[in-house]
Amino acid sequence: MTAPLPDTPHIEMWFDFASPYSYLAIERVDALAQAAGVQVDLRPFLLGPIFQAQGWNDTPFRLFPGKGAYMMRDIARLAEKYGVVYNRPRLFPRMSVLPARIALLGQDEPWGRDFCVAVFRANFQHDLDIQDEDVVHTLLTDLSLDAESLIARGKSEAAKEALRRQVDRARDLGIFGAPTLFVDGEMFWGNDRLEDALDWTRRAEAASPWPAARHA
Amino acid sequence: MTAPLPDTPHIEMWFDFASPYSYLAIERVDALAQAAGVQVDLRPFLLGPIFQAQGWNDTPFRLFPGKGAYMMRDIARLAEKYGVVYNRPRLFPRMSVLPARIALLGQDEPWGRDFCVAVFRANFQHDLDIQDEDVVHTLLTDLSLDAESLIARGKSEAAKEALRRQVDRARDLGIFGAPTLFVDGEMFWGNDRLEDALDWTRRAEAASPWPAARHA
């Protein structure tokens, strides 16, 4: 047996299409990952069941109004800083079950990535109802995909079960918000930890990004 | 009347001595503020009454255990990245009423700033009970301050009332966590927004730090 060649480092990025901080991260991640030589695996899931499991029956934006108002301001301010187009959706948070089921079908394929970006932009740039079948149909068609077939598959029992399992995995991983990134089992929560997560991929190599040794 | 000369920009930094993210920010702020030509006004307050007002009877670290465990890891990781000494306190969060009352007495004086740093380090470097009068006495004495007198003043009704007013002001400002920074009425929450807050002081000048115009 020969030793395997060092692989391109991977990070997993877990997100919900309703999450504005996930949107900011998606818009930024490709350029940053390319510069870092890292592959990003997109992992769509649903925050709703995760929030419910910690006793929240609504989005934290509404449960904690002062914090929610601040976060809306923070998101607009960050979008401006990053140069990312952002229009606050009239409806927030939007239902994201159907696009999540379809995105999960293609999460490791190029079309899946393109679809994820399209769904996020539909929500946070074009203020469209991403749960609406016609909207999803248009997004898929615009990507030259077979919209009828993918929507039918997304509505299948298999796709529903797959998303339930994805949410279970998120819960098992200890995810409590989005976006959440994983690098070799190390968790980073939030768009504002994206750079740190990418830096972390270098910890396995000789040149550690940070001075001290990795924590146990 | 002559026009006033442009002042050094100020930012206000609100914090609780029990807050580890506030500790990280305090350890970083002086060098960053000096580089930015900004004066930082320290504003000690108490998070407890703020949390209670939003329905939390405990620290969010314990109310949301998964998130709490992540934050503890995040804090250690950030301390390593910044090169800041950090030892997780055996007791968390610590009561911080007495040092907050004393810090408030000197919040705009050089000794007050030194005392704040000393209290934070006692908690997050030396794992000391910062609510203990003997510990506070030693911290003040080490700064060549009149510990007896300051502790007596900190325990006075006037100091209690002043801290209550400070917490009221925090609530009126919409503060929901710590550290919270203010620049010309613009709120920034979290150690990870410290750089953004300092950048914001340049928005009043011709060279805006970010491309677009300030939001209304």
Side-chain angles (χ1 to χ4, degrees), chain A residues 17-64:
Chain A
F17 288 120
S19 152
Y21 287 109
S22 297
Y23 165 65
L24 294 177
I26 285 279
E27 289 286 346
R28 302 196 307 122
V29 71
D30 280 346
L32 292 170
Q34 195 169 3
V38 172
Q39 179 173 326
V40 180
D41 301 322
L42 298 185
R43 296 292 176 256
F45 77 112
L46 298 178
L47 271 173
I50 302 287
F51 285 161
Q52 279 168 358
Q54 62 192 43
W56 295 350
N57 296 315
D58 199 351
T59 167
F61 281 80
R62 269 198 295 260
L63 287 173
F64 313 110

Side-chain angles (χ1 to χ4, degrees), chain A residues 77 81 187 189 193 196, chain B residues 70 77 81 187 192 196:
Chain A
R77 207 164 52 194
K81 172 179 153 182
M187 184 196 290
W189 168 53
R193 296 295 187 277
D196 285 355
Chain B
Y70 167 79
R77 206 165 53 195
K81 173 178 152 184
M187 184 197 290
D192 50 20
D196 285 356

Side-chain angles (χ1 to χ4, degrees), chain B residues 180-196:
Chain B
T180 296
L181 304 124
F182 288 94
V183 187
D184 291 333
E186 187 79 16
M187 184 197 290
F188 293 83
W189 169 53
N191 160 72
D192 50 20
R193 295 295 187 278
L194 176 53
E195 287 84 349
D196 285 356

Side-chain angles (χ1 to χ4, degrees), chain A residues 21 54 56 63-64 66-68 70-71 73-74 76-78 80-81 83 174 176 186-193 196 199-200 203 208 210-216, chain B residues 21 54 56 63-64 66-68 70-71 73-74 76-78 80-81 83 174 176 186-193 196 199-200 203 208 210-216:
Chain A
Y21 287 109
Q54 62 192 43
W56 295 350
L63 287 173
F64 313 110
K67 188 172 179 174
Y70 167 80
M71 288 195 291
R73 173 75 186 129
D74 185 51
R77 207 164 52 194
L78 289 171
E80 182 188 337
K81 172 179 153 182
F176 54 84
E186 187 79 16
M187 184 196 290
F188 294 84
W189 168 53
N191 160 73
D192 50 20
R193 296 295 187 277
D196 285 355
D199 285 345
W200 200 263
R203 305 237 338 164
S208 164
W210 297 332
R214 180 163 179 177
H215 289 106
Chain B
Y21 287 109
Q54 61 192 43
W56 294 350
L63 287 173
F64 313 111
K67 188 171 179 175
Y70 167 79
M71 289 195 292
R73 173 76 185 125
D74 185 52
R77 206 165 53 195
L78 288 172
E80 181 188 337
K81 173 178 152 184
F176 54 85
E186 187 79 16
M187 184 197 290
F188 293 83
W189 169 53
N191 160 72
D192 50 20
R193 295 295 187 278
D196 285 356
D199 285 346
W200 200 264
R203 307 248 322 175
S208 163
W210 297 333
R214 180 163 179 179
H215 289 106

Side-chain angles (χ1 to χ4, degrees), chain B residues 105-116:
Chain B
L105 294 171
Q107 69 172 0
D108 291 313
E109 298 178 44
W111 75 261
R113 167 172 305 259
D114 295 342
F115 178 66
C116 287

Side-chain angles (χ1 to χ4, degrees), chain B residues 132-168:
Chain B
D132 183 278
E133 226 175 281
D134 290 341
V135 169
V136 172
H137 191 285
T138 302
L139 296 178
L140 290 166
T141 304
D142 285 352
L143 293 168
S144 306
L145 296 165
D146 184 342
E148 300 287 335
S149 160
L150 283 168
I151 289 174
R153 283 178 61 201
K155 291 165 74 177
S156 69
E157 274 308 314
K160 293 177 186 177
E161 177 57 24
L163 185 55
R164 278 192 291 265
R165 282 199 310 268
Q166 183 94 329
V167 173
D168 287 344

Side-chain angles (χ1 to χ4, degrees), chain A:
Chain A
M1 264 178 71
T2 54
L5 287 172
D7 292 322
T8 302
H10 283 239
I11 69 172
E12 279 191 357
M13 181 162 164
W14 291 71
F15 58 86
D16 184 317
F17 288 120
S19 152
Y21 287 109
S22 297
Y23 165 65
L24 294 177
I26 285 279
E27 289 286 346
R28 302 196 307 122
V29 71
D30 280 346
L32 292 170
Q34 195 169 3
V38 172
Q39 179 173 326
V40 180
D41 301 322
L42 298 185
R43 296 292 176 256
F45 77 112
L46 298 178
L47 271 173
I50 302 287
F51 285 161
Q52 279 168 358
Q54 62 192 43
W56 295 350
N57 296 315
D58 199 351
T59 167
F61 281 80
R62 269 198 295 260
L63 287 173
F64 313 110
K67 188 172 179 174
Y70 167 80
M71 288 195 291
M72 280 298 174
R73 173 75 186 129
D74 185 51
I75 290 155
R77 207 164 52 194
L78 289 171
E80 182 188 337
K81 172 179 153 182
Y82 299 141
V84 166
V85 176
Y86 167 77
N87 293 301
R88 178 173 170 168
R90 282 168 303 173
L91 189 63
F92 178 84
R94 283 212 157 95
M95 290 285 287
S96 54
V97 178
L98 178 62
R101 287 180 186 150
I102 296 174
L104 184 49
L105 294 171
Q107 71 173 1
D108 290 314
E109 299 178 43
W111 74 261
R113 168 172 303 261
D114 294 342
F115 178 67
C116 287
V117 172
V119 172
F120 270 116
R121 290 183 179 173
N123 193 3
F124 293 106
Q125 292 188 12
H126 308 300
D127 194 21
L128 294 170
D129 179 0
I130 55 173
Q131 178 79 344
D132 183 279
E133 227 175 279
D134 291 341
V135 168
V136 173
H137 192 285
T138 301
L139 296 177
L140 291 166
T141 304
D142 286 352
L143 293 169
S144 305
L145 297 165
D146 185 341
E148 300 287 336
S149 161
L150 284 168
I151 288 173
R153 285 177 62 201
K155 291 164 74 177
S156 68
E157 274 307 314
K160 292 178 186 176
E161 178 56 25
L163 186 55
R164 278 192 291 264
R165 283 199 309 270
Q166 184 92 330
V167 173
D168 286 344
R169 205 187 138 211
R171 197 183 288 109
D172 291 346
L173 286 167
I175 287 175
F176 54 84
T180 296
L181 305 124
F182 288 95
V183 187
D184 291 332
E186 187 79 16
M187 184 196 290
F188 294 84
W189 168 53
N191 160 73
D192 50 20
R193 296 295 187 277
L194 177 53
E195 287 84 350
D196 285 355
L198 290 166
D199 285 345
W200 200 263
T201 62
R202 297 204 304 268
R203 305 237 338 164
E205 303 168 22
S208 164
W210 297 332
R214 180 163 179 177
H215 289 106

